[in-house]
Amino acid sequence: MTRTLVPAAANLICQHGSHVLLIKRSNKTTVWPNFWAFPGGKVDDNEFFREAALREAREEIGINGKPEDIKEETITMIRSIQWTKVVYFGRIEHYENAPEILEPTLATDLAWFPIDDLPEPMIPHHKTGLEAILKKIGYTEIDNIV
């Protein structure tokens, strides 16, 4: 059987009241260097979105959550000239351990920001994912992102 894989990523939006946790990507990363983002990354083969988001958060910032702790979810499909990508966002408020940077080559900072006053630059589709979560929209599309 031949399977066609669509590149996918999973991100976890950690929320505390009216604030969300963001990490600042290192200038050494090849994609979105020095941009603020939600913890997350690639979905491994045979991995579900929730599993990937929780695993990435555990690897990147050391928190432990359970699938049932994820309260809202959304999917964003991004299409450009070069590729199409599916990105998952899940929102979580309750988890174990205090967030800290565990992969300093990938992230240089981590901070809580008011939802209505996010830092710049921020990865555009991460903003779209947060807006969809807040509006309880399950699916969004972004066309021709650069």
Side-chain angles (χ1 to χ4, degrees):
M1 171 198 269
T2 302
R3 290 193 311 183
T4 301
L5 298 176
V6 174
N11 302 281
L12 203 58
I13 298 171
C14 300
Q15 186 175 351
H16 181 72
S18 62
H19 289 69
V20 291
L21 182 69
L22 296 171
I23 59 173
K24 187 170 188 184
R25 297 174 56 83
S26 165
N27 64 357
K28 294 176 176 74
T29 60
T30 56
V31 180
W32 303 107
N34 293 316
F35 275 69
W36 289 94
F38 294 111
K42 293 179 184 174
V43 176
D44 291 340
D45 192 23
N46 289 325
E47 189 173 41
F48 287 119
F49 282 125
R50 290 183 192 113
E51 292 171 328
L54 292 167
R55 174 186 52 77
E56 286 285 348
R58 189 172 50 255
E59 292 172 0
E60 290 182 5
I61 61 172
I63 66 168
N64 286 315
K66 297 179 225 131
E68 58 269 21
D69 294 329
I70 297 174
K71 298 304 175 195
E72 281 91 26
E73 303 170 294
T74 192
I75 299 288
T76 297
M77 188 162 192
I78 307 164
R79 179 173 59 186
S80 76
I81 294 169
Q82 295 95 359
W83 46 262
T84 299
K85 186 174 186 177
V86 176
V87 183
Y88 165 90
F89 296 91
R91 186 184 71 78
I92 191 168
E93 292 180 349
H94 303 288
Y95 48 84
E96 296 175 357
N97 302 333
E100 62 179 313
I101 295 173
L102 297 180
E103 297 177 321
T105 58
L106 300 177
T108 59
D109 199 2
L110 127 129
W112 292 94
F113 292 93
I115 290 172
D116 58 358
D117 190 20
L118 300 174
E120 290 294 338
M122 186 171 166
I123 297 177
H125 61 274
H126 284 222
K127 283 184 184 177
T128 300
L130 177 60
E131 290 168 7
I133 288 279
L134 295 173
K135 294 177 181 176
K136 301 189 184 314
I137 298 170
Y139 174 77
T140 55
E141 297 175 338
I142 300 174
D143 204 5
N144 294 324
I145 191 169
V146 178

